[in-house]
Amino acid sequence: MDFSTEFVALRDRMRDGQGNDFVCRANAEVAGRTAALLSSFDVCTERKLLGIMPTGGTSRAHEYRLLFGVPVLDAPALDDWWRYAIEAERALVRPDASHSFSLISLLLAAGEVDRAAQKKLKKLEAERQFAGGQQGWSAIRAAAVELGSGAIYVNRMGQPLKSILRPFLSKNT
């Protein structure tokens, strides 16, 4: 397997297949690193009491997916990427009175994910609750994908990423 070729193919499938609701930017700089692909989704809806009575306010939610290529992901490299994910979350999430939630999805496409990194990834979690004029919460989801085998490893919040990523690992997508 040629890592570079497989990584670029994955990036292109993700860019083309995420749907019209996502805005995609290749080679986007976020918190000092360049993501091969930054996909973002924003939704703004009217707030309703009990789901039926308009309150006059709005609610906003966001998802940011950051794709990076990592030829070999070991435990020290995962620590570095996790620190970066926390910095990226702080750079991307801008809570205010209408903020509902934001998800940061760190996607690491790897040629190999060693066993220690697989185990460590399962235990990683980061969530922030906002108060004092700021609303909502944010959380970091993380997934590491072995391009050769198609194996997907995720953290606790990242379980939904398996079903999101699986179709993009197919060469026929």
Side-chain angles (χ1 to χ4, degrees):
M1 172 197 81
D2 179 37
F3 176 77
S4 297
T5 302
E6 291 296 320
F7 176 67
V8 169
L10 172 66
R11 182 208 58 200
D12 292 347
R13 287 191 300 270
M14 287 183 68
R15 180 195 61 220
D16 297 339
Q18 292 189 86
N20 296 332
D21 294 329
F22 279 89
V23 175
C24 297
R25 285 187 15 226
N27 302 321
E29 186 171 325
V30 177
R33 294 190 189 185
T34 302
L37 186 65
L38 166 62
S39 303
S40 61
F41 173 82
D42 300 306
V43 64
C44 185
T45 59
E46 183 179 24
R47 283 195 181 149
K48 295 183 179 180
L49 185 63
L50 302 173
I52 51 175
M53 294 177 49
T55 64
T58 58
S59 177
R60 294 181 303 107
H62 313 278
E63 180 180 356
Y64 302 95
R65 296 177 184 171
L66 298 156
L67 176 68
F68 293 93
V70 183
V72 177
L73 184 62
D74 58 13
L78 179 60
D79 289 338
D80 178 57
W81 281 108
W82 189 251
R83 283 189 299 276
Y84 167 74
I86 291 168
E87 291 173 22
E89 184 270 342
R90 296 204 184 274
L92 291 169
V93 176
R94 298 285 173 234
D96 59 24
S98 64
H99 179 254
S100 182
F101 69 89
S102 296
L103 294 172
I104 307 299
S105 298
L106 176 67
L107 311 172
L108 302 173
E112 175 188 342
V113 180
D114 81 7
R115 190 86 172 125
Q118 293 172 26
K119 292 172 81 172
K120 183 173 248 184
L121 181 58
K122 289 180 187 179
K123 297 174 184 174
L124 295 176
E125 60 184 317
E127 185 174 311
R128 282 198 304 162
Q129 298 288 331
F130 301 104
Q134 299 176 338
Q135 290 286 108
W137 56 272
S138 68
I140 300 174
R141 308 187 301 184
V145 177
E146 280 186 338
L147 293 177
S149 68
I152 303 171
Y153 309 99
V154 296
N155 71 338
R156 292 177 185 178
M157 283 291 293
Q159 202 61 33
L161 293 174
K162 284 185 176 182
S163 59
I164 290 169
L165 290 171
R166 200 166 319 282
F168 297 121
L169 294 175
S170 169
K171 309 283 192 264
N172 299 323
T173 301

